[in-house]
Amino acid sequence: MEADGREPIVGRDAELARLFRATDPVTGDPLLLLLGDEGTGKSALLHQVVRRAEAGGVRLLRAEGSEAESGLAFSALHQLLRPVPAEIDGLPKRQRAALHGAFGAGPATADGDLMLIGGAVLNVLSALAERAPVLVVLDDAQWFDRASVEVLSFAARRLAGEPVTILVSAGAGYHLAGFDRHVPTLVLGPLGDAEAGRLLDLQPHRPTGRTRTRILDQAEGNPLALTELAKAAAALGPATKSPPAGPLPLTGRLERIFAARLDGLPAPTTRALLLLAAMDTVDCALDVSAALPDTEDETWPPAERAGLIRRAGRGLRFGHPLVRSAVYHAASPDARREAHLALAELLRDEPDRRAWHVAAAATRPDAVVSGELERTAGRARRRGGHAAAARALQRAAELSPRPEDSARLFVEAAAEAALTGDLARVEELATAVRARTDDPALLAEAAAHVGRLAVLTVRHSVVFPQLMDSAEELSSAEPSAALDVLAGAAVVRYYSGQDAQQHRIEAALRGLRDDASQAWLRAWVRAVSDPFGDRAELLALLPRVAAEARRRPDRLTAYGVMAWLLDETPQAVRAFDEAFGRWGARGALPEGLGGAAAWSYVELGRWERAREACARGSAVGAAAGLDHAVACAAAVDATVLAYQGDTTAARARAEEAIALIDPLESRSVAVFARRALGAAALAEGAYETAYDQLRTVFTADGVPVHYHASYPALADLAAAAVRAGRRAEAAAIVERAARSLAGNVSPRLRALIDRARGLLADPQDAEPHFRAALADPVLEHWPFERAQTLLDLAEWLRRRRRVAEARGPLTEALEVFRRLGARPWTERARTESRAAGLEVTDAVPDALAGLSPQQQRIVRLAARGLTNREIGEKLFLSPRTVGSHLYRSFPKLGITARSQLRDLIEDPLVTTGRRD
């Protein structure tokens, strides 16, 4: 098979068939990753796929990666969407503004929200798919800028059900954030001996004898190497029977072959090729066409005949990415410098591109160029392009003549790189800081950036001692910086749950001199590392942390985390609400203990809001390659799914969380995931399974596996134990926990312990415990837990033949379960209510019970009058996906029109939705 007159495609029939199946508009995959080394034929196969798709009426969007442009934020995304301006103009206002801001065509959004931009891309693709199937080809994606990769991976994960296929090609061994987990992948390996021989036989000058053997040996099955080595051997002339002695060097051998084609080219052709190679992308040639000869000019034919370039419509492109590299590196340093200066002059009105060309031409430190790159970084930062900002700041630091300025710029680069999730890069930049300065403040700031990111990895046992060593070294000269680093260590302590770490944190805190301005952070460290050590004193300090948050809104999340840890959930939710309202997704990564917000919403009964927080945390964690952040979000999500009765999905999410972490390294996530599995089993009435899962959150001796996450499982453990015949063992664990918490127990945990005691007590002794668990009015802030206790009390009363007394708590519990959408508990409460003689009607939540949780969310939002597009923007779905869910939901609800939803959904349910 030949690719449109190009080199023949040999030995790739199975791979091509797989690509054709993947891109079939009806039965294809939403996403496929094509990996292979340079020269394995990725581009040739993609060309065949594109030709077939276009012949079938498929709409094509395509972007090609460029190493030169990988530092320009959203450049690949701009290349992809440049042909569809009408669809961009038709987006909702916020999404349109975010996309224009990302492309530099308008003011950047206040927070550079990659998820908002991702939602915009999703809507563009969905709008195009309404008219025809869409094929998105992302070629050489290893050279895409990081911001584009994150946005495209976000959109790709939400295209299920859309007639859109995304085909991504990348070099083998490259990490594409967001595209490398659970993504169908096709790997192009080397050709076998027989296939390699067939390819050589198809060459214009078929190599034979020793020459053939040497080519086969050196090419190692790489199709491009086979064809190019055959051409190189033929070019030696008929008098030469074989190439010169000695193998071609493996490193760069193909670039040398391409560079050899430059020999003998006219000087104007060589200069034009160098200008083309120095440009950012092929599309950029349109912007700087004045620098290049016209395509009809006599300059280009020699390069075409040499196979270095080919025409693409009215433009030109290199025949292979290696040609660009070969042309560029074959030129002298002076020639490359002149090319970049020429391009910089032509790009006077594009400051970011100009800055990079001026920097490429720089041969020595230059404060002016460094300043231009620093301004470029500022623009990239405002657009949410943290990777591009880090790259620009790093280059600015390298070009800065003053060591102190260079060190400062490296620190700023580390801060931006930390927001991309690239820990190795941050560590590299921190090393550069240490090589340029001994300024304690800069060194401390660099260490803090490393720590901020390291705490979100799964390397807790490695990261903790590094952070503590740094904090202890800084404690005398830079106590404020030491406390910042210690805050990161406290987060690691929370995730790992190791008591030995707590002792070291306490010792470090004692060694730091008191500073009134840092009292809030000292209180935060104590709360994170030991919330029940002295809860009363920490509660007294909470107003100080709140005051700090009022002065510095960027510290609202810290206040929210501390309030959540102390079981002051209403305060936590208010703080997180305000933080999200003010800052959106500020920064590309979840903050330390990012799951605290989602857990707060779960506890307060705002489950849909919790799932939205989980979706955000999972998306940004996946894009950054931070498995621990993804696992945290999955564990919370699994819990909500279990409460809603979607037990299959709950187990899948919980098991995903467990698979992503080491339970001994990340005890908190492991405990949360086991609690979710226990809740799923309770929802199904599988009490022995539930007990087995919940028992694992305590040690064999009954000690909590995690000093904070284990305690809320006590009541569920007791509920499972009663029905699994493990009453005595569970009672011992509950009483041990009660003794351990003693005077530091929160009202919430006291109520959970009282409920557990009521469940485990002899029947005649249970009532006082249930009554105690319901006595404090503050417990209404944990509606699901309180409703469970109400149901337990009602069941106990009815079995004591106190039916009339049981009806009040039953009615209240049923209303709460219905409002929350807790289907298994709703059914249990309905059954108990009927047994108590109550007339129970099938209210709205029961009508919604046949829908999936996602369908329920969509129906509730539609009932509030939101359009499909507005719902999609809120839930990060395409309008088409929203419409599909509604279409499937209407028959289950017994309605035929959207206008009927408002009457179907009663006020309590709508009110709950509004709070989300």
Side-chain angles (χ1 to χ4, degrees), residues 77-94:
L77 187 64
H78 181 256
Q79 185 187 160
L80 184 75
L81 298 184
R82 187 173 180 173
V84 290
E87 282 70 20
I88 293 175
D89 290 341
L91 289 170
K93 182 178 179 180
R94 287 182 65 238

Side-chain angles (χ1 to χ4, degrees), residues 218-522:
Q218 293 180 36
E220 298 178 347
N222 183 289
L224 181 63
L226 287 162
T227 57
E228 296 306 318
L229 289 171
K231 291 176 184 177
L236 292 173
T240 306
K241 301 301 182 184
S242 65
L248 291 171
L250 294 178
T251 302
R253 68 171 182 265
L254 294 180
E255 287 194 16
R256 286 181 169 80
I257 291 169
F258 285 124
R261 296 189 197 173
L262 295 170
D263 293 342
L265 289 177
T269 301
T270 301
R271 182 177 183 277
L273 285 171
L274 179 56
L275 282 170
L276 187 62
M279 289 177 182
D280 291 335
T281 63
V282 174
D283 284 346
C284 187
L286 299 174
D287 300 330
V288 292
S289 56
L292 296 175
D294 187 86
T295 55
E296 303 301 322
D297 189 274
E298 63 183 12
T299 302
W300 296 113
E304 287 185 87
R305 288 193 292 272
L308 294 169
I309 62 169
R310 58 186 173 86
R311 296 180 186 272
R314 298 180 59 188
L316 295 165
R317 64 178 61 190
F318 288 107
H320 191 279
L322 285 178
V323 179
R324 179 192 294 273
S325 178
V327 168
Y328 186 81
H329 291 290
S332 69
D334 286 343
R336 292 199 295 267
R337 183 171 183 273
E338 289 176 6
H340 283 295
L341 288 175
L343 292 170
E345 177 63 21
L346 288 162
L347 290 166
R348 290 186 301 272
D349 296 331
E350 297 191 45
D352 293 338
R353 283 176 173 169
R354 181 187 183 281
W356 278 108
H357 283 296
V358 173
T363 58
R364 61 178 63 88
D366 188 316
V368 174
V369 179
S370 177
E372 286 193 38
L373 284 169
E374 189 172 0
R375 289 188 288 277
T376 288
R379 288 186 287 270
R381 182 191 294 117
R382 288 191 292 275
R383 297 195 301 271
H386 300 292
R391 185 168 178 260
L393 287 166
Q394 180 175 359
R395 184 64 176 140
E398 293 165 351
L399 289 174
S400 179
R402 290 160 46 90
E404 56 270 34
D405 289 337
S406 178
R408 172 185 60 81
L409 289 166
F410 272 119
V411 169
E412 292 183 17
E416 293 301 315
L419 293 171
T420 70
D422 190 344
L423 179 57
R425 180 84 178 279
V426 177
E427 290 174 334
E428 173 191 330
L429 292 167
T431 300
V433 175
R434 290 192 290 271
R436 284 163 174 78
T437 186
D438 56 2
D439 183 331
L442 288 176
L443 292 172
E445 193 174 349
H449 292 316
V450 174
R452 177 189 176 192
L453 185 56
V455 301
L456 297 173
T457 70
V458 295
R459 299 162 41 191
H460 303 314
S461 62
V462 174
V463 169
F464 183 81
Q466 292 175 346
L467 292 174
M468 290 304 304
D469 289 346
S470 178
E472 289 160 359
E473 289 172 9
L474 293 166
S475 60
S476 298
E478 292 288 334
S480 178
L483 192 56
D484 282 337
V485 176
L486 203 58
V491 174
V492 178
R493 146 71 173 162
Y494 184 88
Y495 285 144
S496 66
Q498 296 184 21
D499 290 338
Q501 294 176 349
Q502 169 60 16
H503 303 324
R504 191 169 178 185
I505 289 173
E506 289 175 346
L509 279 175
R510 288 194 297 270
L512 287 175
R513 67 172 181 266
D514 284 336
D515 181 346
S517 67
Q518 294 293 305
W520 75 273
L521 187 54
R522 183 183 287 266

Side-chain angles (χ1 to χ4, degrees), residues 90 148 182 283 339 355 403 450 493 555 605 639 674 788 795 819:
S148 292
H182 310 311
D283 284 346
V450 174
R493 146 71 173 162
R555 292 172 179 166
T639 303
R674 294 296 174 188
Q788 286 178 302
E795 288 177 338
R819 176 169 57 82

